Amino acid sequence: MELIIYLAGEIHSNWRQTIKEQANSLPFHLNFVGPMENHERSDNIGEEILGNQPNTIFKDDAASAMNNLRTQVLMQKSDVVIALFGEKYKQWNTAMDASTAITLNKPLILVRPEKLHHALKELSRKANVTVETTEQALQVISYIFEEE
Amino acid sequence: MELIIYLAGEIHSNWRQTIKEQANSLPFHLNFVGPMENHERSDNIGEEILGNQPNTIFKDDAASAMNNLRTQVLMQKSDVVIALFGEKYKQWNTAMDASTAITLNKPLILVRPEKLHHALKELSRKANVTVETTEQALQVISYIFEEE
Amino acid sequence: MELIIYLAGEIHSNWRQTIKEQANSLPFHLNFVGPMENHERSDNIGEEILGNQPNTIFKDDAASAMNNLRTQVLMQKSDVVIALFGEKYKQWNTAMDASTAITLNKPLILVRPEKLHHALKELSRKANVTVETTEQALQVISYIFEEE
Amino acid sequence: MELIIYLAGEIHSNWRQTIKEQANSLPFHLNFVGPMENHERSDNIGEEILGNQPNTIFKDDAASAMNNLRTQVLMQKSDVVIALFGEKYKQWNTAMDASTAITLNKPLILVRPEKLHHALKELSRKANVTVETTEQALQVISYIFEEE
Amino acid sequence: MELIIYLAGEIHSNWRQTIKEQANSLPFHLNFVGPMENHERSDNIGEEILGNQPNTIFKDDAASAMNNLRTQVLMQKSDVVIALFGEKYKQWNTAMDASTAITLNKPLILVRPEKLHHALKELSRKANVTVETTEQALQVISYIFEEE
Amino acid sequence: MELIIYLAGEIHSNWRQTIKEQANSLPFHLNFVGPMENHERSDNIGEEILGNQPNTIFKDDAASAMNNLRTQVLMQKSDVVIALFGEKYKQWNTAMDASTAITLNKPLILVRPEKLHHALKELSRKANVTVETTEQALQVISYIFEEE
Amino acid sequence: MELIIYLAGEIHSNWRQTIKEQANSLPFHLNFVGPMENHERSDNIGEEILGNQPNTIFKDDAASAMNNLRTQVLMQKSDVVIALFGEKYKQWNTAMDASTAITLNKPLILVRPEKLHHALKELSRKANVTVETTEQALQVISYIFEEE
Amino acid sequence: MELIIYLAGEIHSNWRQTIKEQANSLPFHLNFVGPMENHERSDNIGEEILGNQPNTIFKDDAASAMNNLRTQVLMQKSDVVIALFGEKYKQWNTAMDASTAITLNKPLILVRPEKLHHALKELSRKANVTVETTEQALQVISYIFEEE
């Protein structure tokens, strides 16, 4: 039994690379998917495909259409969603993707520093599990496979 | 035909009072529902009902359970969701509620100042309509009822 | 038991007015809802609420957001959908609304002149009933209420 | 991870052959499915299986039953739907299939020449992405797989 | 709290009239709905609305479109379905309506003479309750309202 | 806006009577529904309607069919489910009804003495809110209606 | 792409063997599943597993529980359902399985002799396709795979 | 065709080991999944991953979050659920998991000693099949694969 894990969260740090490396030492294989991590390309993908847009609002609108399609395809194929909040940025996409996962009945693991607990308390209460580090998130995934 | 409108968004300003007053001049009746607007009570409702909790994390957890139940009951009864983002605060609950509305196939009107467009571009693209003011949001609702 | 009937179809002719008058002679009350019938306003509603858009593509995009929200709210409240195709115009919205109704398990009555049968054969096969006139559509609705 | 792509749209031109050839140069494999492209056979399939029908209306009805079953099976197995509108023909089936895809939560890429934007504005607004060429549609699919 | 009861089953005997009279003595009101009970009209309704059809197969096809639309509208509005099988006739519609009710999560009461148990054993096992008389079916409905 | 509250739980004590009296002092009206509270009748309802059964297994099977139908009808009409566990009895029906409520997306308030927490920990974690008394459960319901 | 085909219908004749042989000559592989075809074993399976039951009613009830579980598992795994009605027997299970397939959005091919059309007219109208022979049913399946 | 079987029930005895050994003699392969069977670890998993909790209530809450995520992932991947009740313990998790399976339309086989029938009568009536031993449960699974 293989699991597909969607990694929702900011694309400014390299936390996805970190969790993939941490997962290498597990005795089973995980397939990680997620958004485009090249931030500049994520912002420009609309104009890259559709050409110049009239202003930045419409440039954003075009890019987000591509990003949403990518997320919809990959999240529908995933078995578990891990959503990570860092201390910087608004990260509304992370909240949006986490909430979509819950409503679609996809199990959700929330990763956030303890100091963000108050701002994330309603989302945390809806998540299956809330942890503080990606190592802990992988421990939760491991527990699905362990027999004793 | 009466509509129930859920007002998602920050509870620091009095924007809900404003939109209710603006709606008074419409030729039809709207029923507005939403979260507890008394911020302090919203934070304390867990301990108010369950008694003191071991620390602030668990106080938050208890409060958010009550807040989530309230939102679930009221959003399930609503016909349209209006989600307003202001320039301050993280507002992850607003993003969470807006995303829940979309996934539940509840029509969503997003209200945000233009300067927030970039941070909200993916959510905006999923919303039915994005506007900048509550007057505009009410114009959209009015349009449902108008015949010419 | 009252029924709400959504009238999907072109907004160039006054067929909705006709069917409402025909329904006046029925021994029960029907509530008719549908899209904005003022064609010019339907095209301009985006700019009416959001202000001038950069070009006609974006003007159309803004208008259609408003029109789609209206349709979503009203179709979700309806018990039966009547979709009328005339001989002119592309009428892709009518096909789109009819298909949405079928997928949402809303009973669909298709009204079209016999000469359009070939072009509409797949949609006709999915509809509950296909007729040629609005009088016939009302006869189908009447049959729901009749006891002998 | 392999994706299945349903190609909705007219069967008069050879655009499906074109997009399949364009996809050959991609660094991943796509499985394309779609309707019967032999137009005459698509029209005759009812009588081919059920024998002569009383008139052309019933011949059409029989054929569309077969075509609808094929589309239902193949669309349910697909991960993304691409719907192409050309400048000729009514193409109500394309609108119907595109709308079914949206309601079933299948990601939809709409391909249409810019001049059709007005007639397709409501459908375009519901689609995940609207582009003008099949190359652009494939760029959107590619973006799902790209990592930087 | 009022309940709507859909009465599925044969239209050759007057069992619906009987159960309505039996229900008159209950201390609460039930709203009964069901198919067209005038058998001849049920068979002719297609031609009554659409005009003469080429042969009896197509006459039947037209009639069943009307009958199915009526059932779909009324069953979606009902809270409980009572399906009665008598000793005569094939009654495939009764089996079809009962099975639709189960799949739609509508509570189902099956009424059949004991001697039909073997032929109906799989359906009986899926029904909420199986009884032998309409009086018993009404007792089951009454039990929903009783407090002691 | 009125709410319907389903009261799941043991039928040996009179806790439902207590909560109804407590609710009388609230400034809004709640509609309480639930299972048959007359325990003996609940056990005998199968034979009361269907006559003597071959043994107690089949007597139980007949009774539970009636009880399940009642619960299905009433829970589908409810907005919130309150499930109470006492210290005695196995109360598997309470666990079953609570779990059904969660899966159907009905908000669930769990009432249990603190000493039962360990045995109910997984269910408690899935419930919206867990409290220890019926007064607290009513406080949670009240919070839905309160504005400050 | 492989398809799984559920064969619903009577278990008195060997029509499943026939259709499997006919399918051998197709240029693609079909996986056929269906109910237990050994009629005596199908009737006795309840007592085979659970031991003697008090009477034939309860023997039937036990057997149908096993038969329903088998059908539920296999139908959920299937892509298309073929339901065959012969001229003998009540065949209520066939009607039940066909109706379940439609409600679950499984494409349905109905096979019946023309003389049964009247009794099956409502079910036929809901099916995707109605044919008279198993060869024709396989032609419909073939059409899904054919490209010209 | 391979099936995945979720084994719900107590983790105090080694019944899962027994059923796996019994399944070794079957002529087809079954994939068994289920909860963590190491009882102590199941109780401690919350603190193992999240660190010490303020008291036993919160320790339980943390552990159950992990256990629920594991169950949700594994049950969503399963084709059949077997739920076993023994004579000891409250086993509310078993009732909860069984009820979740039913509501998710997963076929359910209930295993319980006959003396528990009364307490489990409503759940038994909702299950697809109720048996007394794991051998019987495997016979039911076998019956899905048998052809004569």
Side-chain angles (χ1 to χ4, degrees):
Chain A
M1 194 180 68
E2 287 204 355
L3 296 183
I4 300 178
I5 316 290
Y6 187 88
L7 299 174
E10 48 158 337
I11 59 177
H12 305 78
S13 72
N14 64 344
W15 71 275
R16 284 182 187 78
Q17 188 55 36
T18 305
I19 200 171
K20 286 174 191 172
E21 288 165 11
Q22 290 166 339
N24 279 339
S25 61
L26 295 174
F28 50 84
H29 183 65
L30 296 177
N31 303 288
F32 292 101
V33 293
M36 166 54 64
E37 294 179 60
N38 178 332
H39 197 171
E40 192 178 16
R41 187 146 188 250
S42 168
D43 280 357
N44 293 333
I45 185 67
E47 293 196 332
E48 179 183 322
I49 296 179
L50 294 174
N52 284 343
Q53 300 297 309
N55 60 35
T56 56
I57 290 266
F58 292 106
K59 174 188 169 185
D60 280 352
D61 198 53
S64 60
M66 311 299 175
N67 289 323
N68 283 344
L69 182 139
R70 176 180 171 130
T71 300
Q72 185 177 345
V73 171
L74 295 176
M75 196 184 281
Q76 285 179 358
K77 285 191 167 290
S78 69
D79 297 295
V80 178
V81 174
I82 295 177
L84 178 141
F85 283 83
E87 298 191 26
K88 286 192 290 187
Y89 312 110
K90 292 195 157 40
Q91 305 173 90
W92 287 327
N93 275 5
T94 315
M96 178 180 81
D97 290 346
S99 180
T100 302
I102 292 162
T103 317
L104 291 177
N105 205 23
K106 300 277 179 189
L108 175 70
I109 301 171
L110 188 63
V111 186
R112 56 104 190 86
E114 186 177 327
K115 65 184 344 183
L116 287 185
H117 186 74
H118 185 69
L120 283 168
K121 65 184 189 297
E122 273 80 20
L123 187 54
S124 174
R125 177 69 194 157
K126 283 190 176 181
N128 286 63
V129 176
T130 299
V131 298
E132 294 179 25
T133 67
T134 53
E135 286 91 340
Q136 289 174 316
L138 285 180
Q139 280 183 283
V140 177
I141 303 283
S142 290
Y143 183 63
I144 301 172
F145 290 91
E146 291 164 13
E147 303 220 333
E148 62 185 49
Chain B
M1 195 180 69
E2 287 205 355
L3 296 183
I4 300 179
I5 315 291
Y6 187 88
L7 298 175
E10 49 156 335
I11 59 177
H12 305 78
S13 71
N14 64 345
W15 70 276
R16 284 184 187 77
Q17 189 54 36
T18 305
I19 202 172
K20 286 174 190 170
E21 288 166 11
Q22 291 165 340
N24 280 338
S25 62
L26 295 173
F28 49 84
H29 182 66
L30 295 177
N31 302 287
F32 292 101
V33 293
M36 166 54 62
E37 294 180 60
N38 179 332
H39 196 171
E40 193 178 13
R41 186 144 188 251
S42 168
D43 280 356
N44 294 333
I45 185 68
E47 293 196 331
E48 179 183 321
I49 295 180
L50 294 174
N52 283 343
Q53 300 297 307
N55 59 36
T56 55
I57 291 268
F58 291 105
K59 175 188 170 185
D60 279 354
D61 198 53
S64 60
M66 312 298 176
N67 289 324
N68 283 343
L69 183 138
R70 176 180 171 129
T71 300
Q72 186 177 344
V73 172
L74 295 177
M75 196 184 282
Q76 285 178 358
K77 286 192 167 289
S78 68
D79 297 296
V80 177
V81 174
I82 295 178
L84 178 142
F85 283 84
E87 297 192 27
K88 285 193 291 187
Y89 312 111
K90 291 194 157 42
Q91 306 173 89
W92 287 326
N93 274 6
T94 315
M96 179 181 80
D97 291 346
S99 181
T100 302
I102 292 162
T103 318
L104 291 176
N105 206 23
K106 300 277 180 189
L108 175 71
I109 300 172
L110 188 63
V111 186
R112 55 105 190 85
E114 187 178 325
K115 65 183 346 181
L116 287 184
H117 186 75
H118 186 70
L120 284 168
K121 66 184 188 296
E122 274 79 19
L123 187 53
S124 173
R125 176 72 194 154
K126 282 189 176 183
N128 287 62
V129 175
T130 299
V131 298
E132 294 177 26
T133 67
T134 53
E135 286 91 340
Q136 289 174 316
L138 286 180
Q139 280 183 283
V140 177
I141 303 283
S142 290
Y143 183 63
I144 301 172
F145 290 93
E146 291 164 13
E147 304 221 333
E148 62 185 51
Chain C
M1 196 180 68
E2 286 204 356
L3 296 182
I4 300 179
I5 315 290
Y6 187 88
L7 299 175
E10 48 154 336
I11 60 177
H12 305 79
S13 73
N14 65 344
W15 70 277
R16 285 182 187 77
Q17 189 54 36
T18 305
I19 201 171
K20 286 174 191 172
E21 288 166 11
Q22 290 166 340
N24 280 338
S25 61
L26 295 173
F28 49 84
H29 182 65
L30 296 176
N31 303 287
F32 292 101
V33 294
M36 166 55 62
E37 294 180 61
N38 178 331
H39 196 172
E40 193 179 13
R41 187 148 186 248
S42 167
D43 280 356
N44 293 334
I45 185 67
E47 293 196 331
E48 179 183 322
I49 296 179
L50 294 173
N52 282 345
Q53 299 298 307
N55 60 35
T56 55
I57 291 267
F58 292 105
K59 175 189 169 183
D60 280 352
D61 198 52
S64 59
M66 313 298 175
N67 288 323
N68 283 345
L69 183 138
R70 176 180 171 131
T71 300
Q72 186 177 345
V73 172
L74 295 177
M75 197 184 280
Q76 284 178 358
K77 286 192 168 286
S78 69
D79 297 296
V80 178
V81 173
I82 295 177
L84 179 141
F85 282 84
E87 297 192 26
K88 285 193 292 186
Y89 312 110
K90 290 193 159 38
Q91 306 174 90
W92 286 325
N93 274 6
T94 314
M96 179 181 81
D97 291 347
S99 181
T100 302
I102 292 162
T103 318
L104 292 175
N105 205 24
K106 301 277 180 189
L108 175 70
I109 301 172
L110 188 63
V111 185
R112 55 103 191 88
E114 187 178 326
K115 67 185 341 183
L116 288 184
H117 186 75
H118 186 69
L120 284 167
K121 66 184 188 298
E122 274 79 20
L123 187 54
S124 174
R125 177 71 193 154
K126 283 189 175 183
N128 287 63
V129 176
T130 299
V131 298
E132 294 178 25
T133 67
T134 53
E135 286 91 340
Q136 289 174 317
L138 286 179
Q139 280 183 282
V140 177
I141 303 284
S142 290
Y143 183 62
I144 300 172
F145 290 93
E146 290 165 13
E147 304 219 334
E148 64 185 50
Chain D
M1 194 179 68
E2 283 200 349
L3 296 183
I4 301 179
I5 315 291
Y6 187 88
L7 299 175
E10 48 156 335
I11 59 177
H12 305 78
S13 71
N14 64 344
W15 71 277
R16 285 182 187 78
Q17 189 54 35
T18 304
I19 201 171
K20 286 174 191 172
E21 287 166 11
Q22 291 165 338
N24 280 339
S25 61
L26 295 173
F28 49 84
H29 182 65
L30 296 177
N31 302 287
F32 292 102
V33 294
M36 168 52 64
E37 294 179 60
N38 178 331
H39 196 171
E40 192 179 15
R41 190 150 183 246
S42 167
D43 280 356
N44 294 333
I45 185 67
E47 293 197 330
E48 179 182 322
I49 295 179
L50 295 173
N52 284 343
Q53 300 296 308
N55 60 35
T56 56
I57 291 266
F58 292 106
K59 175 188 170 185
D60 280 353
D61 197 53
S64 60
M66 312 299 174
N67 289 325
N68 283 343
L69 183 139
R70 176 180 171 129
T71 300
Q72 186 177 346
V73 171
L74 295 176
M75 196 184 283
Q76 285 180 355
K77 286 193 167 288
S78 69
D79 297 294
V80 178
V81 174
I82 295 177
L84 178 142
F85 283 84
E87 298 192 27
K88 286 192 291 186
Y89 312 111
K90 293 194 156 41
Q91 307 173 90
W92 287 326
N93 274 5
T94 314
M96 180 181 81
D97 291 346
S99 181
T100 302
I102 293 162
T103 318
L104 292 176
N105 206 22
K106 300 278 180 190
L108 175 71
I109 301 171
L110 188 63
V111 186
R112 55 104 190 85
E114 186 178 327
K115 66 184 343 182
L116 287 185
H117 185 74
H118 185 70
L120 283 168
K121 66 184 188 297
E122 272 80 19
L123 187 54
S124 173
R125 177 70 194 156
K126 283 190 176 182
N128 287 63
V129 176
T130 299
V131 298
E132 293 179 26
T133 68
T134 54
E135 285 91 341
Q136 290 174 314
L138 285 179
Q139 280 182 283
V140 177
I141 303 283
S142 290
Y143 183 62
I144 301 173
F145 291 92
E146 291 164 13
E147 303 220 333
E148 63 185 51
Chain E
M1 195 180 69
E2 287 205 354
L3 296 182
I4 300 178
I5 315 290
Y6 187 87
L7 299 174
E10 50 157 334
I11 59 177
H12 305 78
S13 72
N14 64 344
W15 70 276
R16 285 183 186 78
Q17 188 54 36
T18 305
I19 201 171
K20 286 174 191 172
E21 287 166 12
Q22 291 166 340
N24 280 339
S25 61
L26 295 173
F28 49 85
H29 183 65
L30 296 176
N31 302 287
F32 292 102
V33 294
M36 167 53 63
E37 295 179 60
N38 179 331
H39 196 170
E40 192 178 15
R41 190 150 183 247
S42 168
D43 280 356
N44 293 334
I45 185 66
E47 293 196 332
E48 180 183 322
I49 296 179
L50 294 173
N52 283 344
Q53 300 296 308
N55 60 35
T56 56
I57 291 267
F58 292 106
K59 175 189 170 184
D60 280 354
D61 197 53
S64 60
M66 313 299 174
N67 289 323
N68 282 343
L69 182 139
R70 176 179 171 132
T71 299
Q72 186 177 347
V73 172
L74 294 176
M75 195 183 283
Q76 285 179 356
K77 286 192 166 288
S78 69
D79 297 296
V80 177
V81 174
I82 295 177
L84 178 141
F85 283 84
E87 297 191 27
K88 284 193 293 187
Y89 312 110
K90 291 192 157 43
Q91 305 174 90
W92 287 326
N93 275 7
T94 314
M96 180 180 81
D97 290 347
S99 181
T100 302
I102 293 162
T103 317
L104 292 176
N105 206 24
K106 300 277 180 189
L108 176 70
I109 301 171
L110 188 62
V111 186
R112 55 104 190 85
E114 186 178 325
K115 65 184 343 181
L116 287 184
H117 186 75
H118 185 70
L120 284 168
K121 66 184 189 295
E122 273 79 19
L123 187 53
S124 174
R125 177 72 193 153
K126 283 190 175 182
N128 287 63
V129 176
T130 300
V131 298
E132 294 178 26
T133 67
T134 53
E135 285 91 341
Q136 290 175 315
L138 286 179
Q139 280 183 282
V140 177
I141 303 283
S142 291
Y143 183 62
I144 300 172
F145 290 93
E146 290 165 14
E147 304 220 333
E148 63 186 50
Chain F
M1 195 180 70
E2 288 205 353
L3 296 182
I4 299 179
I5 316 290
Y6 187 89
L7 299 174
E10 48 154 337
I11 59 177
H12 304 80
S13 71
N14 64 344
W15 71 276
R16 284 183 187 77
Q17 189 54 37
T18 305
I19 202 172
K20 286 175 191 171
E21 287 166 10
Q22 291 165 340
N24 280 339
S25 61
L26 296 173
F28 49 83
H29 182 65
L30 296 177
N31 302 287
F32 291 102
V33 294
M36 166 53 63
E37 295 180 58
N38 179 331
H39 196 170
E40 193 179 15
R41 188 146 187 251
S42 168
D43 280 356
N44 293 333
I45 185 67
E47 293 197 331
E48 180 182 321
I49 295 179
L50 294 174
N52 284 343
Q53 300 296 308
N55 60 35
T56 56
I57 290 267
F58 292 106
K59 176 189 170 185
D60 280 354
D61 198 53
S64 60
M66 312 300 174
N67 289 323
N68 283 343
L69 183 138
R70 177 181 169 128
T71 299
Q72 186 177 345
V73 172
L74 295 176
M75 195 182 283
Q76 285 178 357
K77 286 190 167 290
S78 68
D79 297 295
V80 178
V81 173
I82 295 177
L84 178 141
F85 283 84
E87 297 191 28
K88 285 193 293 189
Y89 312 110
K90 292 194 157 42
Q91 305 175 91
W92 287 326
N93 274 6
T94 314
M96 179 182 81
D97 290 347
S99 181
T100 302
I102 293 162
T103 318
L104 291 176
N105 205 23
K106 300 277 180 190
L108 175 71
I109 301 172
L110 188 63
V111 186
R112 55 104 190 87
E114 186 179 326
K115 66 185 341 183
L116 287 185
H117 186 74
H118 186 71
L120 284 168
K121 65 183 190 297
E122 273 79 21
L123 187 54
S124 173
R125 178 70 195 156
K126 283 190 177 183
N128 286 62
V129 176
T130 299
V131 298
E132 294 178 26
T133 67
T134 53
E135 285 91 340
Q136 289 173 317
L138 286 179
Q139 281 183 283
V140 177
I141 303 283
S142 290
Y143 183 63
I144 301 172
F145 290 93
E146 292 164 13
E147 304 222 332
E148 62 186 51
Chain G
M1 195 180 68
E2 283 200 350
L3 296 182
I4 300 178
I5 315 289
Y6 187 88
L7 299 175
E10 49 156 336
I11 59 176
H12 304 78
S13 72
N14 64 344
W15 71 277
R16 284 182 187 77
Q17 189 54 37
T18 305
I19 201 172
K20 286 174 192 172
E21 288 166 10
Q22 291 165 339
N24 280 339
S25 61
L26 295 173
F28 49 85
H29 182 66
L30 296 177
N31 302 286
F32 292 101
V33 293
M36 166 54 62
E37 294 180 61
N38 178 333
H39 197 171
E40 193 179 13
R41 188 147 185 250
S42 168
D43 279 357
N44 293 334
I45 185 66
E47 294 197 330
E48 180 183 320
I49 295 179
L50 295 173
N52 283 344
Q53 300 296 308
N55 60 36
T56 56
I57 290 266
F58 292 105
K59 175 188 169 184
D60 280 353
D61 198 51
S64 60
M66 312 301 174
N67 289 324
N68 283 344
L69 183 138
R70 176 181 172 129
T71 300
Q72 187 177 345
V73 172
L74 296 176
M75 196 185 282
Q76 285 179 357
K77 286 194 168 285
S78 69
D79 296 295
V80 177
V81 174
I82 296 177
L84 178 141
F85 283 84
E87 297 192 26
K88 286 193 291 187
Y89 312 111
K90 291 192 159 40
Q91 306 175 90
W92 286 327
N93 275 7
T94 314
M96 180 181 81
D97 290 346
S99 181
T100 301
I102 293 162
T103 317
L104 292 176
N105 206 24
K106 300 278 180 189
L108 175 70
I109 301 171
L110 187 63
V111 186
R112 55 99 190 92
E114 186 178 326
K115 66 187 340 183
L116 287 184
H117 186 75
H118 186 70
L120 284 167
K121 66 183 186 300
E122 273 79 19
L123 186 54
S124 174
R125 178 71 192 149
K126 284 190 175 183
N128 287 63
V129 176
T130 299
V131 298
E132 294 179 25
T133 68
T134 53
E135 285 91 341
Q136 289 174 317
L138 285 179
Q139 281 183 282
V140 177
I141 303 283
S142 290
Y143 183 62
I144 300 173
F145 291 92
E146 290 164 13
E147 304 219 333
E148 63 185 51
Chain H
M1 193 181 68
E2 284 199 348
L3 296 182
I4 300 179
I5 315 290
Y6 187 87
L7 299 175
E10 48 157 338
I11 59 177
H12 305 77
S13 72
N14 64 344
W15 71 276
R16 284 182 188 79
Q17 189 53 36
T18 305
I19 201 172
K20 286 174 191 172
E21 287 165 11
Q22 290 166 341
N24 279 339
S25 62
L26 294 174
F28 50 84
H29 182 65
L30 296 177
N31 302 287
F32 291 102
V33 294
M36 166 54 64
E37 294 179 61
N38 178 332
H39 196 172
E40 193 179 13
R41 188 147 187 249
S42 167
D43 280 357
N44 294 333
I45 184 67
E47 294 196 331
E48 179 183 322
I49 295 179
L50 295 173
N52 283 344
Q53 299 298 307
N55 60 34
T56 55
I57 290 266
F58 291 105
K59 175 189 169 184
D60 279 353
D61 199 53
S64 60
M66 312 298 175
N67 289 323
N68 283 344
L69 182 139
R70 176 179 171 131
T71 300
Q72 186 177 344
V73 171
L74 295 176
M75 196 183 282
Q76 285 179 357
K77 285 194 166 290
S78 70
D79 296 296
V80 177
V81 174
I82 295 177
L84 178 141
F85 283 84
E87 297 191 27
K88 286 194 291 189
Y89 311 110
K90 291 192 158 39
Q91 305 173 90
W92 286 326
N93 274 6
T94 315
M96 180 181 81
D97 290 347
S99 181
T100 302
I102 293 162
T103 316
L104 291 176
N105 205 23
K106 300 277 180 189
L108 175 71
I109 301 171
L110 188 63
V111 186
R112 56 101 189 88
E114 186 178 327
K115 65 184 345 182
L116 287 184
H117 185 74
H118 186 70
L120 284 167
K121 66 184 188 297
E122 272 80 19
L123 187 54
S124 174
R125 176 71 193 155
K126 282 190 176 180
N128 287 62
V129 175
T130 300
V131 298
E132 294 179 25
T133 67
T134 52
E135 286 91 340
Q136 289 175 315
L138 285 180
Q139 281 184 283
V140 178
I141 302 284
S142 290
Y143 184 61
I144 299 173
F145 290 92
E146 290 164 15
E147 304 219 333
E148 62 185 50

